[in-house]
Amino acid sequence: MKLRAKLMGAFALVALMALLVGLVGLRNMWVINETSTVMYHRELLGLSLVKEADIQLLYAARTEKQFLLADSEEYRVTQHEHWAGYVKEAERCLTEAKSKFATAEGQKLITDTFAALDAWKPVAERVFTLGAKDALRASTEAYALSQGEARDKLNVIEKLVNDTVARKENNAKTLNEKGNRLFSQSVIVLSAFIVAALVIGLLIGLLISGSV
């Protein structure tokens, strides 16, 4: 084999190795990016939705107790309406969360949760039906304070907590989008460098082998 052919083969081999290294790097970057995206869209959002469903059910349980402690029929009606709204929102969150579970075990957990929810709702409705027959609670200073100033301050705390959670979720979304943009830019730049290195390596090989 002539020296020219040997040099050309050596440069081609080096260029091929550089190409393989670049392709492996691109693939690993893609895997990392996909993992980050899945972690946000499926795991973080799924967790957030299930957590929100749990909070809505806690609100529903609280309105049930408020109904039984009501000192007016108007307040009873309001609490029953709030209960229905909280339950509906919990069901919406669970329905949306179901799409965030990829495994059969995860899907079954959501299905079982819906079954438990359907078993609980008629019992809770019976509580309202029976409670409506009870005498209204006589208003006391402690009860008025609990339903007035204390409730207002608690509402402020709940709003601040919800705002804090929303801020963290928005931060996670922003970081995920930033990572996706960085990945796209890196793929373009790295691909350009790989192609350029491959072409330049082959051209250098041609030039050197041609001068021998």
Side-chain angles (χ1 to χ4, degrees):
M1 182 182 294
K2 293 183 180 180
L3 180 59
R4 178 179 180 179
K6 291 181 179 179
L7 287 173
M8 201 51 214
F11 276 105
L13 179 60
V14 172
L16 180 60
M17 291 175 63
L19 176 62
L20 291 175
V21 170
L23 291 176
V24 170
L26 284 174
R27 179 190 176 279
N28 290 342
M29 285 173 56
W30 179 83
V31 170
I32 293 172
N33 182 70
E34 282 298 300
T35 301
S36 173
T37 300
V38 168
M39 183 173 63
Y40 170 72
H41 285 286
R42 191 172 72 191
E43 304 302 331
L44 178 61
L45 292 186
L47 173 63
S48 178
L49 287 166
V50 173
K51 176 207 66 181
E52 183 61 28
D54 184 47
I55 291 174
Q56 295 299 317
L57 291 174
L58 289 175
Y59 287 165
R62 186 174 69 181
T63 58
E64 178 186 296
K65 304 303 183 291
Q66 293 298 320
F67 178 93
L68 297 176
L69 296 173
D71 59 355
S72 70
E73 289 296 340
E74 293 79 5
Y75 191 69
R76 280 180 172 176
V77 172
T78 299
Q79 293 306 304
H80 195 186
E81 290 175 348
H82 286 171
W83 177 87
Y86 291 139
V87 172
K88 184 177 180 180
E89 180 63 14
E91 291 175 330
R92 184 197 69 79
C93 291
L94 288 173
T95 299
E96 189 174 346
K98 191 171 184 179
S99 64
K100 308 298 182 183
F101 288 83
T103 65
E105 291 82 358
Q107 293 282 327
K108 185 177 184 300
L109 284 172
I110 295 296
T111 301
D112 291 347
T113 302
F114 269 113
L117 190 58
D118 289 338
W120 166 72
K121 285 192 295 183
V123 177
E125 286 287 6
R126 182 164 170 76
V127 171
F128 286 111
T129 300
L130 294 174
K133 299 176 182 179
D134 294 340
L136 293 170
R137 176 187 174 90
S139 183
T140 64
E141 184 177 357
Y143 180 76
L145 181 62
S146 174
Q147 298 302 312
E149 184 179 356
R151 171 57 60 82
D152 291 340
K153 292 187 179 301
L154 181 59
N155 288 339
V156 171
I157 296 172
E158 290 177 349
K159 182 180 183 304
L160 290 171
V161 170
N162 290 334
D163 290 346
T164 301
V165 171
R167 183 178 181 85
K168 298 303 291 183
E169 291 173 348
N170 288 333
N171 288 344
K173 180 180 180 181
T174 300
L175 288 173
N176 179 67
E177 293 173 348
K178 182 178 179 181
N180 288 338
R181 289 194 300 269
L182 180 60
F183 168 73
S184 299
Q185 295 168 359
S186 298
V187 167
I188 294 173
V189 173
L190 186 55
S191 298
F193 273 110
I194 291 172
V195 173
L198 184 62
V199 172
I200 292 172
L202 291 175
L203 288 175
I204 292 175
L206 286 173
L207 290 173
I208 294 177
S209 61
S211 64
V212 176

